[in-house]
Amino acid sequence: MISCTEFIPAYSELFKFLQQKGGKPAVIAFWHYLSDSFLGNLRDLAAKKGLAGCFEYWSHTLAEEAADFRMTLEEDRFCIEMRACPSKGRLLAADHLQPYPDYCQHCDVLYRRVLEPLGFEYDLDLSQSDQARCLLVIRDKRPEKRGPRDQ
Amino acid sequence: MQYEKKVMDQRATDRDYLHKDFHGALADAIRYLDETYGHKATAEYLSQVGCMCYAPLIDRMKREGLSALEKHLVSVFTREDGRFSIRWENGVLVLEVDQCPAVNHLVSTGRSFSPRFCQSTVHVNAAICRAAGYRAVCTYEPGQGRCVQRFSQEEKT
């Protein structure tokens, strides 16, 4: 069994393997597949609860991943300030691994593909991803936005 | 907009690192590789994972023998709360898994997965052992979360 604690290096190796098979389009095709097959939970929460659903989704995943972050839900935006991404941090810390160069882009492709069609604006700043840091901002642009107080 | 303000601030040390949903992502990856590139490519990828990701374990096995693998397996299955037993039979290390934590998580969360999911164990174990000079055999019951894994000295030809 590949332990869930050993998954991230295997994930990075998968991107490298797909890159060897068919270049970047092959990697992106997998990210699209994974977004469609794996993120149903986020899709359902965001569609039903808006940005509050995003908060609920990431409060679960980032807690289990032991991430170092500050997550904020405000009147018009949801934000994750990732101070130390556990996934990228593990890849950078492992001397025996050469991470897939565009590893962090999977977060951009996977989540954007779920949230933009629902009417959210998705902005991920990966400019400091070489230090395992990033900034995600999501805004609710749906015509009929409904927060918890409306329901 | 009517969202109620919320803040969550977490330090990495606040929690243990154990995100079992990653088993679901691996299951999807195996299904994708099988369907898109075929079983041979899946085996090739998993062998690459065994050699690259487990290089430190391979080094320990070369120095310390199968006892290094025994420590690794006990650590992994204990941390993930698996039901298993491990023993030695005439120099062969035998791991019997009664409830695989990965399969158990996939089933309990209602995630569909391929009956070939456990090929990840077959090929990763084989690649690790081959690189370290040992042999691995895994027999599993597809989708049931039960398997027997045997590790032995590689036969000299």
Side-chain angles (χ1 to χ4, degrees), chain B residues 54-99:
Chain B
Y54 292 88
L57 173 61
I58 291 166
D59 287 344
R60 287 200 301 278
M61 288 169 68
K62 284 179 180 171
R63 287 196 309 271
E64 302 165 25
L66 285 175
S67 63
L69 181 60
E70 180 185 17
K71 281 181 212 157
H72 171 80
L73 293 170
V74 169
S75 165
V76 161
F77 278 86
T78 303
R79 189 169 52 223
E80 290 224 30
D81 206 20
R83 222 164 52 218
F84 71 102
S85 63
I86 195 161
R87 63 182 184 274
W88 289 91
E89 284 178 1
N90 301 319
V92 176
L93 178 63
V94 182
L95 172 71
E96 260 192 78
V97 179
D98 290 325
Q99 188 182 71

Side-chain angles (χ1 to χ4, degrees), chain A residues 73-145:
Chain A
L73 175 63
E74 290 169 310
E75 200 168 298
D76 61 346
R77 70 174 211 157
F78 166 77
C79 172
I80 300 174
E81 181 192 350
M82 183 62 73
R83 297 181 295 238
C85 169
S87 298
K88 188 63 181 284
R90 270 176 172 70
L91 293 175
L92 293 174
D95 292 338
H96 64 288
L97 296 173
Q98 185 67 48
Y100 178 63
D102 293 332
Y103 178 82
C104 295
Q105 269 185 18
H106 79 271
C107 274
D108 193 27
V109 174
L110 263 72
Y111 301 117
R112 183 185 298 281
R113 184 173 170 89
V114 170
L115 295 170
E116 282 189 343
L118 292 174
F120 297 91
E121 187 180 275
Y122 184 92
D123 180 31
L124 180 59
D125 177 358
L126 292 173
S127 58
Q128 295 186 75
S129 62
D130 59 337
Q131 300 161 61
R133 299 165 68 95
C134 66
L135 178 67
L136 171 64
V137 178
I138 302 172
R139 289 190 173 82
D140 196 340
K141 297 291 183 183
R142 296 175 298 171
E144 291 179 30
K145 293 180 280 188

Side-chain angles (χ1 to χ4, degrees), chain A residues 3-63:
Chain A
S3 169
C4 65
T5 61
E6 299 158 343
F7 171 73
I8 293 303
Y11 201 31
S12 173
E13 285 303 313
L14 176 59
F15 303 161
K16 287 159 70 177
F17 181 81
L18 292 169
Q19 179 87 31
Q20 289 159 14
K21 285 278 174 199
K24 190 70 178 282
V27 182
I28 291 173
F30 171 69
W31 289 344
H32 287 171
Y33 172 88
L34 195 62
S35 178
D36 296 345
S37 66
F38 189 64
L39 296 179
N41 192 18
L42 172 61
R43 191 173 293 108
D44 293 346
L45 283 169
K48 190 175 168 193
K49 301 180 181 178
L51 296 179
C54 294
F55 190 98
E56 189 175 327
Y57 174 81
W58 269 290
S59 62
H60 166 73
T61 60
L62 293 180

Side-chain angles (χ1 to χ4, degrees), chain A residues 1-2, chain B residues 46 50 61 69 72-73 95 119-131 134-138 149-151:
Chain A
M1 179 187 75
I2 298 175
Chain B
L46 291 167
M61 288 169 68
L69 181 60
H72 171 80
L73 293 170
L95 172 71
Q119 288 292 309
S120 56
T121 299
V122 172
H123 292 293
V124 169
N125 281 0
I128 291 170
C129 285
R130 198 162 45 240
Y134 294 93
R135 182 168 177 263
V137 176
C138 172
Q149 302 175 32
R150 293 174 188 276
F151 307 94

Side-chain angles (χ1 to χ4, degrees), chain B residues 133-147:
Chain B
Y134 294 93
R135 182 168 177 263
V137 176
C138 172
T139 51
Y140 65 89
E141 299 172 43
Q144 300 303 304
R146 286 190 293 272
C147 69

